[in-house]
Amino acid sequence: DAGVTQSPTHLIKTRGQQVTLRCSPISGHKSVSWYQQVLGQGPQFIFQYYEKEERGRGNFPDRFSARQFPNYSSELNVNALLLGDSALYLCASSITMGQGIDEQFFGPGTRLTVL
Amino acid sequence: AQSVTQLGSHVSVSEGALVLLRCNYSSSVPPYLFWYVQYPNQGLQLLLKYTSAATLVKGINGFEAEFKKSETSFHLTKPSAHMSDAAEYFCAVSDRPSSNTGKLIFGQGTTLQVKP
């Protein structure tokens, strides 16, 4: 079975631009979460979507937005990019909302570099 | 609020030696705790999790962790290190009950180096 897939693998943008990252969850998983992992740090929670609705949001500015589609895939959008947005963006899927019980399966991530 | 602290950002062991990676947690409720491993240029893989069942949790690749409430610890161990264990290890706690989601709060990570 295919795991969580993310695209693109790498991305280079300049300050002020906008970026869209994509995630396809494991088949049958209805929840997608997004995390930002800055170099040398642990992942930080950005969003969780379940059944196409936002169920949780981390401490990130409104420049960050996301959505989940009827097929449960998801997009993360970041507007007005800053140098500090350079990071590995991880997507994780789970069968339900999780709440710590369901295992969350992580994708390989998208490496975003902002110049 | 829930949090985890990983003691030691870098741990170096010889192949065949005991691996001990330390994690302490803070939680207002019985916590759900996790250990993840991240190999270079890859995502996170779950090693093991504690969800209030047995206090000694066995995971994949020979790793195990013991939940000690009195010490608020969840240290990860492996009796004999293998070269393939070299990676970044993250301890995490579920954000329940602060948020009714699957949000995980991660520690800063510990880089495990295995020397031949």
Side-chain angles (χ1 to χ4, degrees), chain A residues 35 37 48 97 99 101 104, chain B residues 34 38 49 100-102 104:
Chain A
Y35 289 81
Q37 185 180 15
Q48 182 179 23
M97 279 181 59
Q99 300 175 5
I101 299 285
Q104 294 193 45
Chain B
F34 307 81
Q38 186 177 34
K49 65 180 180 182
N100 190 30
T101 69
L104 296 175

Side-chain angles (χ1 to χ4, degrees), chain B residues 11 13 23 43 47 51 59 109:
Chain B
V11 170
V13 301
C23 174
L47 283 175
T51 55

